[in-house]
Amino acid sequence: MDKLVLRDDIPVPVPGPRDVLIKISAAGVNNTDINTRIGWYSKSNGDSEDAGWAGNPIQLPRIQGADVCGKVVAVGEQVDTSLLNERVLVEPCILEAGGKVLDQPWYFGSECDGGFAEYTVVAARHAHKINSKLSDIELASFPCSYSTAENLLTRAEVGAKDVVLVTGASGGVGSAVVQLAKARRAQVIGVTSPSKADRIMDLGADRTLARDASLVQELGNGTVDVVIDLVAGKQWPDLLNVLRPFGRYAVSGAIAGPFVELDVRTLYLKDLSLFGCTVLDEVVFPNLIKRIEAGEISPVVAKTFSLTQIPEAQQLFETKQHVGKFVIDISDDG
C-alpha cells in the first residue's frame, strides 16, 4: 500500500488528434488494479520485466483505474465534435493509443494511465457515449467487470437453453455474469459464500452453492452446459467434471490460485472447449452499452470512496466481504 501515492502536480493530459480528454467523475476498483500493483501477472515471481497486464514491463509512475465514467471536455482535431460534453464510459481493453493501432492490446490503468485521476486521455474509439438515468457512480461499476462478463458469455456462446455455473459469483465480474447470463435467459448457478447467497439470488441466480461444496455431489457429472470461472484453484477438476459432453469452459480469473490439475482424458473424451478470455471481442462493449441503456442489468455498488481513500478501498477489497463493486467518487463534491 505504500506504493500508492496521491499527487497534485500532474498536468492535465493533452489529447492527440484521434483522442478525447475526459473529466472523470467516478472510477471503479478491480482485481486488476491490485494484481498490477503487486506484480501478480508476472510468471517469474513478480519480476518487473513481465508484471504488466500484457506481460510487459510496467512503466512507473502509473495512474491505475480501469473503470471510468466521465464527460468529454476536449477532442482531437480528427474526432467528431459531437462527442464534446457527452457522458461516456471507457472501454478498458485498449486497441489504439497515441494515434496508432496497437500490435498487442493494453489494459486501461496498466499499460497506460487510467481513471484514478481528475482527467484522462483515451482514443475516441474507446469512449462510448451512454444515455442512462443511472448516476456516474453507478455507471462506473460497469466497464471492467461487466465487459469481462459479457466477453466470457459471448466467447462461450451462452444462450437461453444453457445451464451456466459461475464461480466467484459475489465479486464484480461474478455478479455481472449472473445478471448478463439471465439477460440471455440462461439458467444460472452461482458459487459463493452462504452469507452472500441471498444477494446472488436477488441478482437473478436460480441456485447457489457454497464455495466448499462438492460440485459433483451437488450437481452430478455432466449436468452443466457452461462454466464461467473466475477462481480456478484446487476445485478446478470438478468444474470440468460437471460439464456435459461438448460443454464450454471460459475463464478470466484465478483468485484461488493459477495452477490447476488437468486430466486430459476429461478434456478430450467429453469434447470440451476451453476459452481464455481477456481481449474483448469487437461487439462486446457496444452490446454492454445497449444492455445498460435498455435497463437489462443493474449496477451493484457495495461502497464508495474518495480519491484519497484508494489504499483503504484496496485493502477492504482484498477481504472479499462485499458483493459487487467499490467505486471511487472523483466528482467535484466527492
Side-chain angles (χ1 to χ4, degrees):
M1 292 300 169
D2 59 340
K3 301 301 182 183
L4 295 173
V5 178
L6 183 67
R7 293 176 54 177
D8 58 8
D9 60 342
I10 298 174
V12 175
V14 177
R18 296 169 58 84
D19 298 334
V20 296
L21 175 67
I22 299 171
K23 189 178 190 304
I24 301 169
S25 53
V29 177
N30 295 280
N31 271 316
T32 189
D33 305 320
I34 296 169
N35 290 344
T36 297
R37 176 172 57 78
I38 66 176
W40 186 87
Y41 294 116
S42 170
K43 294 183 178 180
S44 52
N45 299 317
D47 191 315
S48 61
E49 292 304 311
D50 66 342
W53 175 87
N56 300 317
I58 297 174
Q59 302 298 317
L60 299 175
R62 171 65 67 227
I63 298 171
Q64 293 195 288
D67 279 327
V68 166
C69 177
K71 180 189 290 186
V72 175
V73 294
V75 299
E77 59 189 33
Q78 298 178 25
V79 178
D80 190 336
T81 56
S82 66
L83 266 178
L84 271 172
N85 298 313
E86 292 289 353
R87 187 163 63 155
V88 295
L89 296 182
V90 174
E91 182 179 10
C93 185
I94 303 299
L95 303 177
E96 178 184 333
K100 298 180 180 179
V101 175
L102 301 171
D103 293 332
Q104 183 178 16
W106 291 354
Y107 213 74
F108 206 51
S110 177
E111 283 69 32
C112 61
D113 286 339
F116 293 156
E118 295 175 300
Y119 294 90
T120 192
V121 161
V122 69
R125 65 186 286 185
H126 295 306
H128 292 252
K129 178 182 173 182
I130 182 78
N131 182 14
S132 171
K133 294 181 180 179
L134 295 174
S135 70
D136 291 353
I137 286 175
E138 289 172 321
L139 288 174
S141 69
F142 286 123
C144 181
S145 295
Y146 282 72
S147 65
T148 299
E150 180 69 10
N151 196 43
L152 286 157
L153 295 167
T154 299
R155 294 285 300 280
E157 298 182 337
V158 170
K161 296 182 180 180
D162 287 326
V163 176
V164 178
L165 176 69
V166 53
T167 64
S170 63
V173 178
S175 59
V177 168
V178 172
Q179 289 196 63
L180 288 164
K182 291 306 295 183
R184 293 168 178 250
R185 300 187 302 280
Q187 181 181 338
V188 181
I189 304 168
V191 180
T192 187
S193 61
S195 63
K196 301 175 183 176
D198 288 346
R199 188 71 182 97
I200 304 308
M201 294 293 290
D202 290 342
L203 292 176
D206 298 279
R207 180 181 177 184
T208 64
L209 297 175
R211 290 172 178 166
D212 58 355
S214 168
L215 298 179
V216 173
Q217 288 182 9
E218 293 286 344
L219 301 175
N221 279 305
T223 55
V224 171
D225 298 292
V226 177
V227 168
I228 303 296
D229 188 20
L230 310 165
V231 173
K234 294 181 180 179
Q235 196 180 36
W236 194 84
D238 275 350
L239 296 177
L240 299 195
N241 289 332
V242 298
L243 279 171
R244 293 190 175 107
F246 298 96
R248 292 97 72 197
Y249 166 93
V251 60
S252 69
I255 59 175
F259 298 103
V260 299
E261 186 175 286
L262 169 63
D263 186 335
V264 175
R265 293 168 296 185
T266 304
L267 175 61
Y268 74 80
L269 291 175
K270 295 177 75 170
D271 288 280
L272 302 179
S273 297
L274 274 59
F275 301 97
C277 302
T278 298
V279 177
L280 302 184
D281 282 3
E282 186 176 355
V283 300
V284 166
F285 210 81
N287 284 346
L288 176 60
I289 294 291
K290 291 176 183 177
R291 292 191 186 278
I292 296 170
E293 292 181 335
E296 294 180 358
I297 51 178
S298 301
V300 184
V301 178
K303 188 176 177 64
T304 61
F305 300 82
S306 69
L307 195 56
T308 62
Q309 294 177 307
I310 289 177
E312 178 185 339
Q314 289 197 1
Q315 286 178 323
L316 191 60
F317 183 96
E318 289 185 279
T319 68
K320 303 298 182 184
Q321 298 302 306
H322 61 289
V323 175
K325 292 295 293 287
F326 288 166
V327 178
I328 307 298
D329 184 353
I330 313 177
S331 61
D332 292 336
D333 57 351

